[in-house]
């Protein structure tokens, strides 16, 4: 498994333990040594992941083995049927939409999708959606509104695609339209940042009644590298930028930008995708149940007030 710098000492420990376990097949009793090492490993993991910096959380959010939208759909839902195209230009593979069942209740589900290898990343545009992706998402959300189906969203993008073609096809307008129209959708919307939550690319499907962030994800107006390039003209200052941006779940809760942090297993979501999915499911079911009890006028009023209050001060 390709790992991060912070994971290397843990990986070395795990390798030693595995080597000792392999020796056990040769009639050598090393169970006590293995147990001691496993206890040390557990302490090392707890110490490492308890004191993560903002930059280290950004790195974990980008981990190549971190579960993506399609992984969570397969772990959480059944009967997924993908819906394609914006009916204007084409189908954007970086932002997928569809209908599925979550504990036998119909939901519209959508989210950014990255690739696992170079070929898939090119197909998915590294999770950076084009205007047609945001227009497709809006079309499907309006479908949800028409048939009174709640919406579940997974956010995982470094940002909307900034290429010339995307700008020519109205990238900023597509995102701005989504911000306006999502405020008017009369069904419950619950969004979870499962990896990267970058800028307008995240917000283009992020105007939700409830917004959560996975413990080792980030949600920010700009990437740390972009911020460092603007403030210090030096991309190497990204770790400093990550600290001042206050982009971690804990910081975002304090500022009232999100509704809560979804815990991850020790070591990150990639260590135990099933447990992470279970944690997300618990949050989704709880919030959908609460939101479905609100009448439509109250739902829209609370959503409007939620976003109007961000950044407000007395």
């Amino acid at each position: 498994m390709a790992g991060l710098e912070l994971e290397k000492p843990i990986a070395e420990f795990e390798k030693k333990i595995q080597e000792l376990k392999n020796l056990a097949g040769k009639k050598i009793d090393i169970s006590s040594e293995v147990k001691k090492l496993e206890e040390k490993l557990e302490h090392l993991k707890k110490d490492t992941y308890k004191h993560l910096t903002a930059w280290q959380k950004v790195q974990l959010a980008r981990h190549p083995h971190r579960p993506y939208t399609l992984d969570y759909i397969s772990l959480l839902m059944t009967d997924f049927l993908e819906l394609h195209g914006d009916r204007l230009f084409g189908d954007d593979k970086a932002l997928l939409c569809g209908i599925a069942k979550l504990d036998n209740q119909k939901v519209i589900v959508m989210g950014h999708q990255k690739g696992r290898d170079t070929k898939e990343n090119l197909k998915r545009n590294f999770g950076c959606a084009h205007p047609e992706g945001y227009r497709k998402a809006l079309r499907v959300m309006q479908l949800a509104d028409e048939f009174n189906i709640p919406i579940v969203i997974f956010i995982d993008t470094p940002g909307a695609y900034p290429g010339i073609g995307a700008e020519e096809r109205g990238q900023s307008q597509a995102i701005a339209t989504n911000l306006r129209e999502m405020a008017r959708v009369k069904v419950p919307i619950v969004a979870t940042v499962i990896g990267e939550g970058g800028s307008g690319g995240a917000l283009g499907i992020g105007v939700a009644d409830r917004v959560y962030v996975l413990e080792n994800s980030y949600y920010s107006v700009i990437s740390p590298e972009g911020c460092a390039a603007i403030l210090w003209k030096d991309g190497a200052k990204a770790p400093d930028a990550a600290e001042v941006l206050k982009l971690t779940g804990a910081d975002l809760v304090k500022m009232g930008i999100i509704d809560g942090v979804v815990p991850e297993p020790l070591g990150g979501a990639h260590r135990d995708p099933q447990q992470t999915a279970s944690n997300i499911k618990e949050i989704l079911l709880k919030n959908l149940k609460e939101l479905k009890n609100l009448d439509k006028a109250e739902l829209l009023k609370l959503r409007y007030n939620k976003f109007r209050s961000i950044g407000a001060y007395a």
Side-chain angles (χ1 to χ4, degrees):
M1 178 185 286
L4 306 174
E5 191 65 35
L6 66 96
E7 294 180 306
K8 284 183 179 177
I10 294 168
E12 287 173 9
F13 241 108
E14 289 174 333
K15 186 180 176 183
K16 285 178 184 177
I17 290 169
Q18 191 55 52
E19 286 172 354
L20 281 173
K21 285 181 176 178
N22 292 340
L23 285 173
K26 300 177 181 178
K27 298 181 181 179
I28 303 172
D29 185 14
I30 52 168
S31 57
S32 59
E33 286 81 359
V34 169
K35 187 178 179 182
K36 285 177 185 175
L37 281 175
E38 285 177 336
E39 287 172 356
K40 286 183 179 179
L41 175 62
E42 193 66 17
H43 285 303
L44 177 61
K45 281 182 181 179
K46 286 179 180 177
D47 190 55
T48 300
Y49 294 109
K50 186 180 178 182
H51 303 101
L52 291 176
T53 65
W55 177 241
Q56 286 173 326
K57 290 203 171 195
V58 169
Q59 290 177 304
L60 276 175
R62 297 169 175 170
H63 199 289
H65 298 285
R66 194 170 177 84
Y68 297 149
T69 293
L70 280 173
D71 298 312
Y72 286 120
I73 289 173
S74 66
L75 289 167
L76 290 170
M77 300 173 185
T78 57
D79 303 326
F80 174 62
L81 175 67
E82 188 172 356
L83 302 173
H84 298 275
D86 67 341
R87 304 297 187 264
L88 289 169
F89 180 81
D91 186 44
D92 186 7
K93 304 292 185 185
L95 208 170
L96 59 86
C97 305
I99 187 165
K101 285 184 179 177
L102 176 66
D103 262 15
N104 290 319
Q105 65 173 311
K106 284 182 184 176
V107 294
I108 288 291
V109 58
M110 61 185 64
H112 303 95
Q113 179 65 32
K114 298 176 180 177
R116 292 291 175 196
D117 53 35
T118 303
K119 183 179 178 181
E120 192 186 2
N121 261 321
L122 290 172
K123 173 186 171 184
R124 302 284 185 186
N125 206 38
F126 297 85
C128 298
H130 296 79
E132 50 270 24
Y134 292 104
R135 292 185 180 117
K136 173 174 66 173
L138 179 58
R139 178 178 76 82
V140 175
M141 283 188 273
Q142 289 170 337
L143 191 72
D145 202 0
E146 184 177 347
F147 291 97
N148 197 33
I149 304 172
I151 301 168
V152 171
I153 296 170
F154 298 112
I155 295 169
D156 188 12
T157 181
Y161 184 58
I164 292 173
E167 296 299 334
E168 288 174 340
R169 297 195 298 279
Q171 183 72 286
S172 58
Q173 184 188 34
I175 292 172
T177 300
N178 277 24
L179 303 188
R180 182 189 68 202
E181 295 303 318
M182 284 188 79
R184 300 172 177 175
V185 173
K186 298 184 290 293
V187 294
I189 308 174
V190 181
T192 308
V193 181
I194 58 172
E196 298 185 87
S199 192
L203 201 56
I205 56 168
V207 182
D209 299 294
R210 303 283 165 82
V211 180
Y212 287 83
V213 170
L214 275 178
E215 186 179 352
N216 296 311
S217 294
Y218 77 88
Y219 195 27
S220 174
V221 69
I222 192 172
S223 70
E225 292 89 342
C227 178
I230 292 169
L231 292 184
W232 296 291
K233 305 291 188 289
D234 183 3
K237 292 277 190 179
D240 298 317
E243 291 295 335
V244 299
L245 281 167
K246 303 297 180 188
L247 44 66
T248 68
D251 289 321
L252 295 163
V253 168
K254 285 178 187 175
M255 294 186 287
I257 293 171
I258 64 169
D259 295 281
V261 177
V262 182
E264 294 185 30
L266 189 64
H270 61 287
R271 290 263 175 179
D272 192 344
Q274 183 65 64
Q275 182 57 53
T276 309
S278 295
N279 294 346
I280 293 174
K281 185 176 182 179
E282 184 180 343
I283 292 289
L284 290 178
L285 293 175
K286 174 179 175 288
N287 282 279
L288 288 174
K289 183 179 179 181
E290 289 175 4
L291 293 167
K292 283 166 80 174
N293 288 329
L294 299 173
D295 66 62
K296 295 186 186 300
E298 182 71 6
L299 184 75
L300 294 182
K301 180 183 175 183
L302 290 172
R303 189 186 304 156
Y304 176 83
N305 290 338
K306 172 187 175 64
F307 283 90
R308 287 293 292 174
S309 67
I310 292 174
Y313 62 94

